[in-house]
Amino acid sequence: MILPKSNRLTPEQLAEITSIVTEFGCKIQPIVGAVRSVYAIVGDERDELMMNRLEGLAYVDRIDRIQSPFKLMDRRSDLASHRIALGGVTLGRELFVIAGPCTIDPKNPHYVYETAAAVKEAGAHVLRAGVWKPRTNPYSFQGDVKSLDILMEASRRTGLPVDAEVMDEQQVGLALDAGVHMLQIGARNALNYSLLRAIGRAVAQRPGTVVLLKRGIHMGPLNEFISAAEYIAAFGNPNIVLCPRGTAPTLDGYRNHPDESITPLLKEKTWAPVVVDPSHSVGKAAYVPACSLAAIAYGADGLCIETHVDPSHGIGDDPKQAVSPAVLAETIAQAKQLWALLRPVPAATAA
């Protein structure tokens, strides 16, 4: 990581450092911040001659070396102070909640509008709702592009930013053009490196966009999960949130094997916020509140909870795992109490 003495490098300075690192088989990835920019050296940065030449430049303040499979997402990187804000919340400073139905029913848009209003009243900060849905059975409802208009109308009516899952480059473009604030990468695409690159390229041009990256269905090393996020960050937008959501093999009685306990392990390796999805972890509405509180106890920065005003009339997973707005409100209230207990406000801030 190269930190310049000024807020950012001039085009001539950037060209000079790029020329130097290229000689040694590396490249430069600028990470442009609102106040200050850093410049990541992508590649093997162990060559002493390269480092000496860079450190000798008058406009370079310092260079931090990070030998890690994920240089940008590593908690020792200069992005460790990066903060992600969405829905009026800065993640890590207060409880962050995403809520909404599993799947938008284009024939009954009123359910989305009513749910959006209800989750906002319950205290959620972002509305989630499935426009396109990955399905194991090819004959199941796969979503409808018309649902994108419904989602954005719900956002306009409530003022809530929205989260939508995307599964290919065309959907990425449609979602971003419509104004979706958070792109979700689901468990089935968590290691789809072509899609990760495509999303990285797309959101690099939209620095306000956030990416919610879910953990893959099959249990894998934490480094694999964080490295998937690195694919996105490497294009220049580090607004990435990690989302554990349960893994296979399943645990008897639950939809998946709940994995909220990996949160402190992730935080030892990366600065990225962790938002846990208890709905897909346990797969049954009755278990969601307890799983939500467990996630906060393990140090999660937020929750992603499937919610519907009338779950029995929802489609997709809603009938079995969506909670009601009343349960969501109670869960948020309890999670806030637990958050305050585990993360007391510093005295200077409280004053």
Side-chain angles (χ1 to χ4, degrees):
M1 285 279 192
I2 301 172
L3 278 79
K5 291 179 179 177
S6 59
N7 292 343
R8 63 192 60 187
L9 296 174
T10 67
E12 294 75 20
Q13 291 167 343
L14 178 56
E16 184 175 15
I17 66 169
T18 300
S19 175
I20 292 172
V21 303
T22 300
E23 291 181 37
F24 297 89
C26 299
K27 65 179 183 177
I28 294 292
Q29 175 57 62
I31 307 293
V32 179
V35 178
R36 184 171 188 175
S37 299
V38 296
Y39 299 82
I41 303 172
V42 181
D44 189 343
E45 57 188 26
R46 290 176 294 181
D47 194 289
E48 283 298 324
L49 178 57
M50 179 179 73
M51 287 300 173
N52 289 340
R53 288 176 62 182
L54 292 170
E55 289 174 347
L57 297 172
Y59 50 82
V60 170
D61 181 24
R62 73 173 194 270
I63 301 177
D64 293 339
R65 306 188 193 196
I66 300 172
Q67 287 303 326
S68 165
F70 34 86
K71 297 178 185 295
L72 302 176
M73 303 304 296
D74 193 289
R75 68 189 302 270
R76 297 166 296 173
S77 83
D78 290 294
L79 288 175
S81 60
H82 179 68
R83 293 292 177 265
I84 299 171
L86 188 63
V89 173
T90 299
L91 277 77
R93 293 182 181 170
E94 61 181 285
L95 179 69
F96 176 73
V97 180
I98 305 168
C102 167
T103 307
I104 296 174
D105 181 356
K107 296 178 182 177
N108 293 288
H110 66 280
Y111 282 130
V112 178
Y113 303 144
E114 292 170 13
T115 299
V119 301
K120 180 178 181 179
E121 184 176 352
H125 307 101
V126 175
L127 172 68
R128 60 141 293 145
V131 175
W132 303 283
K133 300 298 297 182
R135 295 296 189 206
T136 304
N137 189 326
Y139 305 110
S140 299
F141 179 64
Q142 307 285 319
D144 192 322
V145 69
K146 297 175 184 176
S147 298
L148 188 56
D149 293 331
I150 297 171
L151 179 63
M152 298 316 299
E153 177 61 22
S155 177
R156 286 188 286 271
R157 293 188 182 192
T158 60
L160 289 175
V162 293
D163 159 40
E165 181 175 355
V166 290
M167 296 176 288
D168 58 44
E169 289 192 52
Q170 181 183 24
Q171 293 174 0
V172 172
L174 290 171
L176 289 176
D177 288 345
V180 169
H181 309 83
M182 174 180 271
L183 297 182
Q184 177 177 308
I185 301 171
R188 290 175 176 83
N189 277 308
L191 300 180
N192 182 342
Y193 299 118
S194 295
L195 180 62
L196 296 177
R197 288 191 188 95
I199 289 176
R201 284 191 296 267
V203 300
Q205 309 306 316
R206 302 170 189 256
T209 304
V210 179
V211 177
L212 182 75
L213 175 64
K214 292 202 168 183
R215 190 181 182 203
I217 289 177
H218 299 286
M219 195 175 296
L222 297 187
N223 283 3
E224 182 181 78
F225 186 20
I226 303 170
S227 291
E230 184 86 1
Y231 269 89
I232 302 165
F235 288 91
N237 183 349
N239 290 334
I240 302 165
V241 177
L242 302 179
C243 184
R245 45 77 69 203
T247 60
T250 60
L251 189 63
D252 261 359
Y254 292 145
R255 178 176 179 174
N256 290 291
H257 194 294
D259 59 351
E260 67 276 358
S261 61
I262 72 169
T263 298
L265 304 180
L266 287 170
K267 287 181 173 290
E268 286 182 348
K269 291 175 173 285
T270 179
W271 53 264
V274 178
V275 171
V276 171
D277 176 351
S279 302
H280 284 86
S281 290
V282 295
K284 189 173 181 181
Y287 303 147
V288 167
C291 187
S292 299
L293 297 181
I296 300 304
Y298 274 112
D301 299 291
L303 302 164
C304 181
I305 301 176
E306 290 195 350
T307 309
H308 196 289
V309 289
D310 188 357
S312 64
H313 285 87
I315 58 177
D317 296 324
D318 284 326
K320 61 179 180 180
Q321 70 186 32
V323 301
S324 68
V327 171
L328 175 68
E330 184 178 1
T331 301
I332 291 175
Q334 292 175 345
K336 283 183 175 179
Q337 291 177 0
L338 185 56
W339 175 286
L341 179 66
L342 298 174
R343 306 192 192 193
V345 178
T349 305

